[in-house]
Amino acid sequence: MRKLLAIGGAAALGLSAMAASADELTGTISNIDLTRQTFQLEGKTFTADPNNTVGAKLSELSEGDEVTIEATDIEAGKQPINVMRLEKAE
């Protein structure tokens, strides 16, 4: 029973570490490519797949819109960086 609890605890810590590693960035969208589902924000290329990105759809946004995104490894990630959450800033 103790081994099961230890494994469950380790898994919970791993999941919380993954969730905590998400970065948030707010900026103005430029260069939207709906064919590839990509856009540029602060000089980096991001992808907003409608099947796994929560929030606004890229097709609903326009170049010049200010958005807040959540993604992992924004600074060190290989581009295009997959966006987990995309919201239009108000």
Side-chain angles (χ1 to χ4, degrees):
M1 182 68 163
R2 288 184 191 173
K3 287 183 181 179
L4 183 60
L5 288 174
I7 292 171
L13 284 174
L15 289 174
S16 66
M18 285 176 30
S21 67
D23 298 326
E24 192 172 281
L25 177 66
T26 300
T28 303
I29 288 181
S30 64
N31 197 18
I32 294 176
D33 182 347
L34 293 177
T35 303
R36 294 185 176 155
Q37 292 296 309
T38 62
F39 64 97
Q40 288 191 336
L41 185 69
E42 303 294 321
K44 297 187 183 301
T45 302
F46 295 90
T47 183
D49 185 336
N51 296 319
N52 66 8
T53 301
V54 176
K57 302 234 182 283
L58 190 56
S59 61
E60 299 170 348
L61 300 171
S62 302
E63 292 181 16
D65 284 346
E66 187 170 338
V67 295
T68 300
I69 63 161
E70 187 175 309
T72 56
D73 296 328
I74 290 176
E75 294 303 318
K78 181 180 175 186
Q79 295 185 37
I81 302 165
N82 186 44
V83 174
M84 297 182 299
R85 183 179 59 86
L86 174 62
E87 299 291 335
K88 188 169 181 178
E90 305 270 336

